[in-house]
């Protein structure tokens, strides 16, 4: 179907302000992605999967400015022993980063892929993004594949002794960043990837993850605290037989954030968990859009999302479980819940199940409500001030999502940051 004139003009205006990177071996994949962008057109609010989130500031030619927050606390995961890979305004910083050598893993900058003969990432770059448009088009992901200026490739061959940490900071208030990471976890290998930082005034990130049979990947991400930033992230994952992928995202502040996650379980007995906790205040818009496809036998997926909103903040959840024919004994679970701390905030949810197998256990639920008055009364009756009691109940509400993090040290740091956010808001 031909695109309407509005989409064509908006798309060409955006593309006209950009330059396709000259990066050798990924050139073919980038040109194919650019073709997908032009055929789909950039998103508009009339599009079904964008009706709850206005994409205007993500597609306009120039990035809206975002002032840089002077942080009054260390960056996330500061005390965790990790291999640090640092990007400043979307550019890899060798000065701030650690040496990229670590047992059990091969790490390269995206631009170095073509400098090595038969690099494993050449055939994977853009592949999962390209297949992730069926049945829902994701043009901003294709835009990333075409124009990403930097990123890393991570091939896990063993069990690295410490997490791999991707750190994003920004110094320019008009930075407009595209990063693209490619991750391959080999059979029997296992690793943890951490991500944190605001990255840019406007940030578009794509991560393609291919997990071989028996591989395991743990992913913990923190987005915050710069409030004026805008972010669009994509995660495409393909899971083999008996593989495991568990991802958790904490979002604090940000005027607009949309996190898309597309997972396909292609091997029997695979496990995929994706969870998120967000806390927002004022002109805050947060959108989690998840699509999980079961295409093998006896696989398990979980979607657990909790949002705490106040002072007119908006939360969005769009989650789908698709069970393909033959994907018997599927166990699919989806829950999205919001805690509205005032009457001005809103939570918009669209949970979906589409099932073409008859031996499955799938469920979804979505709720939205105020603070538990009975719990609040119980705490206040025992001398706990109302604002502190509210914070305690808020943390209890978010607990199910945080519990999806297997590493207790990382889970504890997430809780500490949530407590810090609540304390600052209480004292403001």
């Amino acid at each position: 179907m031909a695109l309407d004139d509005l989409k064509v003009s908006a798309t060409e205006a955006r593309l006209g302000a950009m330059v396709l990177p000259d990066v050798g071996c990924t050139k073919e994949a980038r040109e194919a992605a650019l073709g997908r962008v032009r055929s789909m057109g950039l998103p508009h609010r009339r599009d079904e999967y964008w009706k709850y989130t206005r994409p205007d500031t993500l597609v306009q030619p120039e990035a809206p400015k975002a002032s840089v927050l002077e942080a009054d606390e260390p960056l996330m995961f500061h005390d965790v022993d990790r291999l640090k890979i640092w990007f400043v305004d979307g550019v890899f910083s060798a000065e701030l980063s650690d040496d990229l050598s670590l047992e059990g893993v091969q790490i390269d900058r995206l631009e170095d892929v073509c400098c090595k003969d038969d690099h494993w990432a050449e055939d994977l770059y853009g592949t999962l993004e390209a297949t992730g448009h069926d049945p829902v088009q994701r043009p901003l992901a294709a835009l990333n594949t075409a124009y990403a200026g930097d990123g890393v490739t991570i091939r896990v061959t063993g069990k690295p002794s410490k997490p791999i940490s991707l750190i994003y900071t920004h110094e320019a208030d008009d930075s407009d960043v595209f990063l693209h990471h490619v991750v391959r976890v080999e059979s029997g290998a296992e690793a943890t990837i951490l991500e944190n930082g605001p990255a840019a005034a406007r940030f578009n990130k794509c991560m393609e993850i291919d997990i071989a049979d028996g591989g395991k990947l743990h992913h913990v991400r923190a987005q915050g605290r710069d409030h004026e930033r805008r972010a669009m992230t994509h995660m495409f994952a393909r899971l083999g037989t008996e593989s495991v992928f568990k991802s958790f995202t904490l979002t604090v502040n940000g005027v607009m954030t949309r996190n898309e996650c597309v997972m396909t379980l292609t091997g029997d007995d695979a496990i995929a968990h994706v969870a998120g906790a967000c806390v927002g205040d004022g002109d805050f818009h947060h959108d989690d859009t998840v699509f999980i496809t079961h295409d093998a036998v006896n696989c398990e997926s979980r979607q657990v999302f909790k949002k705490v909103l106040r002072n007119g903040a908006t939360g969005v959840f769009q989650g789908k479980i698709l069970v393909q024919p033959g994907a018997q004994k599927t166990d699919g679970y989806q829950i999205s819940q919001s805690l509205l701390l005032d009457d001005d905030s809103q939570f918009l949810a669209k949970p979906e199940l589409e099932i073409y197998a008859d031996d499955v256990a799938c469920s979804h639920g979505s709720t939205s409500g105020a603070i538990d008055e009975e719990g609040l009364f119980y705490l206040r009756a025992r001398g706990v001030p109302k604002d502190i009691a509210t914070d305690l109940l808020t943390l209890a509400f978010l607990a199910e999502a945080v519990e999806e993090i297997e590493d207790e040290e990382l889970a504890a740091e997430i809780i500490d940051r949530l407590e810090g956010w609540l304390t600052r808001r209480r004292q403001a």
Side-chain angles (χ1 to χ4, degrees):
M1 184 173 64
L3 299 180
D4 61 37
D5 292 342
L6 181 63
K7 270 205 169 189
V8 171
S9 59
T11 300
E12 291 305 322
R14 180 73 171 112
L15 297 181
M18 306 176 72
V19 177
L20 202 67
D22 182 13
V23 283
C25 65
T26 60
K27 182 178 180 181
E28 185 176 341
R30 291 174 182 272
E31 290 177 345
L34 182 57
R36 290 193 290 276
V37 174
R38 285 201 160 102
S39 66
M40 293 183 285
L42 292 177
H44 186 275
R45 199 174 186 184
R46 288 200 299 251
D47 296 342
E48 176 65 20
Y49 270 73
W50 286 91
K51 67 180 182 180
Y52 298 135
T53 299
R54 296 191 67 92
D56 310 21
T57 57
L58 297 175
V59 303
Q60 67 188 46
E62 294 184 359
K65 289 189 176 183
S67 57
V68 180
L69 176 72
E70 296 295 332
D72 55 0
E73 62 182 351
L75 291 173
M76 282 289 298
F77 314 122
H78 176 75
D79 296 325
V80 176
D81 183 21
R82 58 203 164 117
L83 186 150
K84 297 184 287 294
I85 305 174
W86 209 298
F87 294 87
V88 179
D89 288 331
V91 178
F92 172 78
S93 171
E95 179 182 358
L96 295 174
S97 299
D98 294 333
D99 182 273
L100 300 185
S101 300
L102 180 65
E103 77 284 354
V105 64
Q106 173 191 346
I107 304 172
D108 296 301
R109 282 188 68 185
L110 184 60
E111 68 176 24
D112 294 334
V113 169
C114 298
C115 301
K116 300 185 178 182
D117 293 335
D118 299 321
H119 195 283
W120 63 270
E122 287 187 25
D123 294 332
L124 190 54
Y125 182 86
T127 300
L128 301 185
E129 174 267 305
T131 59
H133 297 279
D134 183 19
V136 179
Q137 294 181 341
R138 307 179 192 279
L140 287 174
L143 188 72
N144 179 288
T145 297
Y147 288 99
D150 214 334
V152 291
T153 65
I154 301 172
R155 179 172 176 250
V156 185
T157 57
K159 297 185 178 181
S161 59
K162 52 188 175 182
I164 301 157
S165 179
L166 305 175
I167 305 166
Y168 314 120
T169 55
H170 77 105
E171 297 178 351
D173 63 3
D174 60 350
S175 53
D176 192 12
V177 168
F178 288 78
L179 287 178
H180 195 111
H181 307 309
V182 181
V183 181
R184 167 75 177 176
V185 181
E186 300 293 354
S187 181
E190 181 175 3
T192 297
I193 294 178
L194 309 177
E195 293 187 275
N196 68 284
R202 180 169 65 183
F203 186 36
N204 183 321
K205 190 206 72 181
C206 183
M207 181 180 285
E208 297 181 280
I209 301 167
D210 190 24
I211 306 178
D213 297 349
K216 294 182 180 180
L217 182 64
H218 305 275
H219 173 247
V220 181
R221 172 173 57 175
Q223 299 171 314
R225 291 173 39 211
D226 294 26
H227 183 65
E228 295 179 352
R229 72 181 190 279
R230 290 166 172 82
M232 173 77 220
T233 75
H234 315 84
M235 191 160 52
F236 298 93
R238 178 172 62 193
L239 283 71
T241 301
E242 296 182 348
S243 64
V244 177
F245 178 44
K246 295 187 177 182
S247 175
F248 171 86
T249 299
L250 168 69
T251 305
V252 177
N253 291 341
V255 69
M256 208 284 275
T257 304
R258 176 164 167 134
N259 297 321
E260 291 196 6
C261 179
V262 181
M263 296 185 182
T264 305
L265 290 75
T266 63
D268 296 347
D269 301 297
I271 296 173
H273 291 193
V274 57
C278 88
V279 284
D281 197 339
D283 57 338
F284 169 93
H285 186 104
H286 188 273
D287 180 337
D288 284 300
T289 294
V290 182
F291 199 112
I292 296 181
T293 300
H294 286 257
D295 200 13
V297 175
N298 199 38
C299 293
E300 172 188 301
S301 70
R302 286 175 59 86
Q303 302 175 45
V304 181
F305 288 88
K306 300 292 188 84
K307 300 179 190 287
V308 178
L309 309 166
R310 70 178 185 180
N311 293 333
T314 297
V316 175
F317 174 77
Q318 299 180 106
K320 184 165 185 174
I321 300 172
L322 170 62
V323 182
Q324 298 282 26
Q328 304 294 356
K329 301 189 181 302
T330 286
D331 181 359
Y333 173 77
Q334 179 194 98
I335 186 72
S336 60
Q337 295 178 314
S338 72
L339 178 61
L340 305 180
L341 299 181
D342 57 41
D343 294 333
D344 297 325
S345 300
Q346 62 176 337
F347 177 57
L348 307 168
K350 183 185 177 185
E352 297 179 275
L353 296 176
E354 188 172 345
I355 301 171
Y356 298 99
D358 54 15
D359 184 8
V360 303
C362 292
S363 64
H364 67 71
S366 183
T367 64
S368 183
I371 203 79
D372 179 6
E373 292 295 337
E374 289 188 9
L376 188 61
F377 175 81
Y378 177 89
L379 291 171
R380 296 196 67 193
R382 282 150 182 79
V384 180
K386 182 178 180 180
D387 53 357
I388 295 177
T390 299
D391 289 354
L392 291 173
L393 293 172
T394 298
L395 288 171
F397 169 78
L398 295 169
E400 183 182 2
V402 179
E403 287 169 359
E404 289 293 315
I405 304 173
E406 288 195 4
D407 187 301
E408 293 182 0
E409 181 183 7
L410 296 176
E413 176 145 7
I414 293 296
I415 291 296
D416 287 344
R417 291 305 170 113
L418 284 169
E419 290 177 342
W421 183 89
L422 292 170
T423 299
R424 287 192 296 275
R425 291 302 178 186
R426 188 170 67 243
Q427 296 174 349

